[in-house]
């Protein structure tokens, strides 16, 4: 049995910045200035080892403001995705996660940066886990069957946390089909929201397609679907 160490690239980083703003609260009246120091360490991990691949980038953004007696204000920023091959060329597992900052109200006060004391911004975390199968039926067809579950979590209660469940399936003609090719897809998604003011969402779609090659340069296409 061969053992592969894989190739991995691990890169630490740090960024430093000194900022001055004449309106740290983003208020139209009673403007206040502030001196802000940013110290943001981070790490990037990318690589492949055997049947496992990963792409992870993380930064911890720290702001020290004179307005708050230089007490730290920390934001987490993450983009991470991994794929594990559980059975050779058949059974896989994807996992993803992210962290960042977003607006609570798209029509409210906007800021492009995190160093201002903007009450219209909140931290948001997302996660998902997705096992899936990729069966092959000789040269006749290739398919994918996938289940995905995940969610969205906000740090402020004004935004509604949610959980997502998704089932999808697809099949496409294989190499045996050259003149007539075809495919079909199914997708079902349900989103449950924690807030009573936000409704749950359910979505279902079925679609199919076929192509018939009349000549080298001419082809007939057909598509059908239901939502």
């Amino acid at each position: 049995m061969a053992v592969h160490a894989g190739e991995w690239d691990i890169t630490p980083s740090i960024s430093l910045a000194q900022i001055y703003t004449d309106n740290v609260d983003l208020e139209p009246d009673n403007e206040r200035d502030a001196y802000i120091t940013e110290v943001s360490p981070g790490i990037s991990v990318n690589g492949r080892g055997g049947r496992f691949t990963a792409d992870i980038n993380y930064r911890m953004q720290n702001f020290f403001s004179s307005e708050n007696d230089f007490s730290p204000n920390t934001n987490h920023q993450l983009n991470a995705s991994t794929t594990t091959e559980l059975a050779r060329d058949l059974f896989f597992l994807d996992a993803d996660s992210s962290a960042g900052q977003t607006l609570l109200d798209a029509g409210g006060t906007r800021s492009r940066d995190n160093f201002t004391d903007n009450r219209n911004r909140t931290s948001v975390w997302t996660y998902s886990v997705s096992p899936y199968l990729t069966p092959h039926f000789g040269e006749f067809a290739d398919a994918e069957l996938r289940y995905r579950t995940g969610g969205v979590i906000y740090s402020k209660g004004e935004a509604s946390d949610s959980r997502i469940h998704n089932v999808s399936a697809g099949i496409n003609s294989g190499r045996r089909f050259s003149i007539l090719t075809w495919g079909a897809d199914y997708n079902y998604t349900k989103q449950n929201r924690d807030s009573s003011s936000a409704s749950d969402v359910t979505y279902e779609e079925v679609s199919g397609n076929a192509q018939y090659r009349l000549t080298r340069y001419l082809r007939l296409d057909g598509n059908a679907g239901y939502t």
Side-chain angles (χ1 to χ4, degrees), residues 22-121:
D22 61 0
N23 188 5
V24 69
D25 299 316
L26 296 181
E27 296 288 348
D29 302 314
N30 193 27
E31 297 180 1
R32 294 187 296 174
D33 63 351
Y35 293 91
I36 302 168
T37 300
E38 178 187 353
V39 181
S40 298
I43 188 168
S44 174
V45 180
N46 302 277
R48 176 188 298 271
R51 298 184 181 184
F52 179 77
T53 62
D55 185 2
I56 302 170
N57 293 280
Y58 171 74
R59 182 171 70 150
M60 184 173 67
Q61 192 177 45
N62 301 283
F63 293 107
F64 303 87
S65 174
S66 61
E67 187 198 28
N68 298 320
D69 297 326
F70 293 100
S71 298
N73 177 27
T74 300
N75 297 298
H76 300 281
Q77 296 168 344
L78 170 69
N79 281 292
S81 62
T82 64
T83 297
T84 305
E85 187 179 24
L86 301 174
R88 180 72 67 182
D89 200 28
L90 176 63
F91 187 27
F92 300 83
L93 178 67
D94 288 347
D96 302 275
S97 183
S98 68
Q101 292 69 50
T102 188
L103 295 175
L104 285 168
D105 180 4
T109 303
R110 292 172 174 265
S111 62
R112 294 180 300 173
D113 303 291
N114 289 326
F115 64 83
T116 55
D117 186 15
N118 186 354
R119 296 172 180 82
N120 192 35
R121 293 180 73 84

Side-chain angles (χ1 to χ4, degrees), residues 11-24:
T11 306
S13 63
I14 189 168
S15 62
L16 305 173
Q18 187 64 47
I19 304 161
Y20 169 77
T21 175
D22 61 0
N23 188 5
V24 69

